[in-house]
Amino acid sequence: IKTIGRSRSFVDRDRHKALVQELDHLRVTIATRLGERDVARAIELLWEFIGIADAVMGRIGGGILEVEGVFTAAMADLGRFSAAQPAGDPKALARRVLAFCEREGFGATDALIRHMSDALGSVGRREIRQATEAALRAAPQAAGSQDWRADAHRRHHAFRLALLADLERDADAFIAAIRAGGVEDIRALDVADRLIAANRPAEALDWLDKPRQHVEYGDEDEDEDEDEVTENEDEITATDLRIAALEALGRKDEAQ
């Protein structure tokens, strides 16, 4: 693990497959052979393994998704082993998870919070939520419509709060997180979906009736094609959600 993490050589297309196989072989060995004998040691090695994600993905020319998939699988292994361990200090675990998620680079991903949710428990998740809420309060407001860095920083924290709300199955906390990030017009369908799941279909319809903003990816022709596909998928999703809400309200004729 340390040797791979220290390497600085560029991984071209010819060497990419071998790297993916080597990484996954390491992951599987830790998660099976070692995990069966020494769970505590397997957990520490999995932490070391996901710790080299930034260094590895920073020297890959292509096929990042395959490599990222190996590290995501390692997070799932880590979460599974950590949840099976005797309960430790959930606040200390929360701080360790948060420190990983706050790193800059390819490996900085809130996916670890999702995979570590059971191990964190309500106490650990609350620790992360409170730290994230404090960071959001301290984050500077955007100086204008062009201040995308400040917007991105605030949205980063807001999206983490939305993830934590999902883990707690708290629709109101999800809505608060979306509003904190200023993305109500982008995430309206997500809010409606969660309100329907919470048996609040009338509120879901209100969100479906709100004006929605479509996220554009660029000005190139191929990006415009992708935008059109995404917009069509959003409309299908919106229709499905509206039908589900109307049926839940007993408004069968409107649903039809």
Side-chain angles (χ1 to χ4, degrees):
I1 293 172
K2 291 178 179 177
T3 300
I4 295 174
R6 285 194 298 262
S7 177
R8 295 294 179 266
S9 60
F10 180 77
V11 179
D12 57 21
R13 185 181 300 274
D14 293 337
R15 299 171 56 202
H16 179 268
K17 183 177 180 180
L19 175 62
V20 172
Q21 290 176 338
E22 183 178 13
L23 287 169
D24 203 45
H25 175 71
L26 272 173
R27 179 193 69 80
V28 171
T29 300
I30 297 169
T32 56
R33 293 166 61 185
L34 180 58
E36 292 169 359
R37 302 178 183 182
D38 188 344
V39 174
R41 181 60 179 149
I43 288 173
E44 288 308 311
L45 281 180
L46 285 168
W47 274 110
E48 288 188 33
F49 184 78
I50 65 173
I52 67 170
D54 290 351
V56 172
M57 287 191 276
R59 58 190 180 90
I60 295 175
I64 284 180
L65 289 179
E66 290 180 85
V67 178
E68 189 174 42
V70 177
F71 287 113
T72 300
M75 292 180 195
D77 294 330
L78 177 59
R80 176 167 51 87
F81 282 127
S82 299
Q85 277 285 82
D89 182 355
K91 292 186 177 182
L93 180 60
R95 289 191 289 269
R96 188 172 190 179
V97 170
L98 193 56
F100 177 87
C101 294
E102 285 297 337
R103 302 186 319 173
E104 294 185 1
F106 293 104
T109 167
D110 285 352
L112 182 61
I113 296 175
R114 181 181 294 106
H115 291 298
M116 295 292 287
S117 178
D118 289 343
L120 288 163
S122 59
V123 174
R125 293 192 297 268
R126 182 169 61 249
E127 182 79 5
I128 294 176
R129 183 177 67 252
Q130 291 174 345
T132 305
E133 288 171 344
L136 183 57
R137 288 193 297 269
Q141 295 285 346
S145 59
Q146 301 302 313
D147 189 3
W148 62 269
R149 290 184 184 276
D151 273 345
H153 187 62
R154 295 184 65 82
R155 290 181 182 184
H156 168 73
H157 294 304
F159 288 159
R160 180 178 298 155
L161 291 174
L163 167 60
L164 290 164
D166 274 345
L167 293 173
E168 300 291 344
R169 294 180 173 84
D170 188 334
D172 289 320
F174 184 87
I175 293 171
I178 294 305
R179 284 177 170 154
V183 290
E184 300 101 308
D185 51 352
I186 297 174
R187 302 293 297 276
L189 297 184
D190 295 325
V191 172
D193 183 37
R194 284 150 181 81
L195 288 169
I196 291 171
N199 196 28
R200 295 159 63 178
E203 294 173 72
L205 284 178
D206 290 340
W207 277 88
L208 290 171
D209 289 336
K210 291 178 182 290
R212 296 196 306 277
Q213 178 182 336
H214 173 61
V215 180
E216 297 183 357
Y217 294 94
D219 297 326
E220 300 295 332
D221 290 342
E222 61 187 50
D223 290 328
E224 291 175 0
D225 292 340
E226 184 176 353
D227 291 342
E228 185 175 353
V229 170
T230 303
E231 191 168 4
N232 289 338
E233 291 174 348
D234 285 350
E235 290 309 313
I236 293 171
T237 299
T239 301
D240 288 343
L241 290 171
R242 188 176 296 278
I243 291 170
L246 290 169
E247 288 184 337
L249 290 167
R251 293 158 61 176
K252 305 293 184 183
D253 291 342
E254 291 178 71
Q256 186 62 42

